[in-house]
Amino acid sequence: MQLTIRHETEYAYSAPLAYTIQQLHLTPRIEPQQRALSWQITTPGQCHAYTDAYGNLSHMLTINGSHHSLSLVAQGVVETIYPHKGRLNLIDTLSPLLFTMPTPLTLANPAILDLAAASLPDQRVTAGTGHLLRLAEHIVGKVAYESGATMVTTTAGDALALGRGVCQDHAHLFLACCHAWGIPARYVSGYIDPGTTGHAASHAWVDAWAEDTDFAGWVSIDVTHARLMTDAYCRLAIGRDYDSAAPVRGVRQGGGTETLSVDVQIVPV
């Protein structure tokens, strides 16, 4: 499949800014199941390309001097291949054990431990793809999808207690359960052809370490839809949680009140 993607992010401010710095994860990862046929990022200021510690193709954007707005546009065409059973045949330079440690956003509380115990096998037994999909089903049964119900700072425990959230919250809750059981799992940011689901085209899901009879490795799971990743997905970045894989994240000096507008358009071919 080919996905034509255009992602525009607009920031407007009530007062002038003196300085802006943004970390951008807006370039598709280089992986066996996807490749960018064309890709371009348009920004103001100075934009320096680099590869971060997780192997994500990244940019550091800096803007000096007075400015009242900021516009970022990432666009191109990505060719994807259907991953058999959601399996990622990657040559990883990072140990999966790196992705077993919780972060402040993915700490397990008693309610999360109860959810993990109801979904995953005994901790002495390895988890297969079926167990991980069952966990995803239980999570979306506990946390209904509701746009705007949470913020980027909402923890997995808070989202579970609230009972509402978005894809980011589903992913954090999945990670919290897996880490509590010692299962490697990591956050994925990217795009999805939403079809008729009504969900945003900018998406978050997870990679989890599965041990099946014929496979041991990373399996990519869309927790929000309780299904395996298909060729309708484009992967931008991986990390331990939202903070390390967010498409756009940064700080500013000045600016007053911020207004954010995001428009993502995906056309599958």
Side-chain angles (χ1 to χ4, degrees), residues 66-149:
S66 179
H67 54 288
H68 287 81
S69 62
L70 171 60
S71 176
L72 311 172
V73 178
Q75 59 187 334
V77 179
V78 179
E79 184 178 70
T80 60
I81 299 172
Y82 196 99
H84 176 63
K85 296 183 179 180
R87 296 170 177 175
L88 303 177
N89 295 308
L90 305 175
I91 301 176
D92 253 333
T93 57
L94 299 174
S95 169
L97 297 178
L98 173 66
F99 300 100
T100 57
M101 298 298 294
T103 69
L105 291 172
T106 62
L107 283 173
N109 60 19
I112 289 175
L113 294 177
D114 289 343
L115 176 60
S119 310
L120 296 170
D122 186 283
Q123 288 178 291
R124 293 167 296 182
V125 178
T126 57
T129 300
H131 298 120
L132 298 171
L133 285 172
R134 183 172 65 184
L135 172 59
E137 292 170 354
H138 287 179
I139 287 172
V140 295
K142 295 283 188 180
V143 179
Y145 185 92
E146 183 179 318
S147 180

Side-chain angles (χ1 to χ4, degrees), residues 9-248:
T9 305
E10 294 272 357
Y11 295 90
Y13 301 95
S14 62
L17 290 86
Y19 178 75
T20 295
I21 183 168
Q22 298 273 15
Q23 182 185 53
L24 310 180
H25 291 134
L26 291 172
T27 303
R29 285 177 58 86
I30 299 174
E31 294 182 341
Q33 79 288 337
Q34 68 174 35
R35 67 185 179 113
L37 301 181
S38 64
W39 198 260
Q40 180 181 12
I41 296 178
T42 305
T43 70
Q46 296 183 337
C47 199
H48 170 68
Y50 69 101
T51 301
D52 72 8
Y54 299 103
N56 301 314
L57 303 178
S58 313
H59 291 81
M60 190 65 69
L61 170 65
T62 56
I63 305 175
N64 289 295
S66 179
H67 54 288
H68 287 81
S69 62
L70 171 60
S71 176
L72 311 172
V73 178
Q75 59 187 334
V77 179
V78 179
E79 184 178 70
T80 60
I81 299 172
Y82 196 99
H84 176 63
K85 296 183 179 180
R87 296 170 177 175
L88 303 177
N89 295 308
L90 305 175
I91 301 176
D92 253 333
T93 57
L94 299 174
S95 169
L97 297 178
L98 173 66
F99 300 100
T100 57
M101 298 298 294
T103 69
L105 291 172
T106 62
L107 283 173
N109 60 19
I112 289 175
L113 294 177
D114 289 343
L115 176 60
S119 310
L120 296 170
D122 186 283
Q123 288 178 291
R124 293 167 296 182
V125 178
T126 57
T129 300
H131 298 120
L132 298 171
L133 285 172
R134 183 172 65 184
L135 172 59
E137 292 170 354
H138 287 179
I139 287 172
V140 295
K142 295 283 188 180
V143 179
Y145 185 92
E146 183 179 318
S147 180
T150 55
M151 301 181 294
V152 296
T153 55
T154 301
T155 67
D158 289 341
L160 181 58
L162 182 64
R164 303 190 305 275
V166 293
C167 55
Q168 169 190 302
D169 304 297
H170 293 151
H172 283 159
L173 191 49
F174 189 100
L175 298 183
C177 289
C178 285
H179 295 164
W181 250 239
I183 300 170
R186 60 196 188 188
Y187 189 98
V188 184
S189 65
Y191 305 112
I192 176 179
D193 170 23
T196 59
T197 64
H199 294 168
S202 183
H203 200 44
W205 62 101
V206 301
D207 294 338
W209 193 266
E211 297 200 18
D212 297 313
T213 55
D214 61 340
F215 176 80
W218 292 113
V219 171
S220 204
I221 298 173
D222 181 347
V223 185
T224 299
H225 298 100
R227 71 186 185 195
L228 298 171
M229 188 188 81
T230 68
D231 55 354
Y233 295 71
C234 171
R235 296 159 61 88
L236 288 178
I238 62 169
R240 295 176 63 198
D241 58 15
Y242 169 85
D243 284 347
S244 55
V248 181

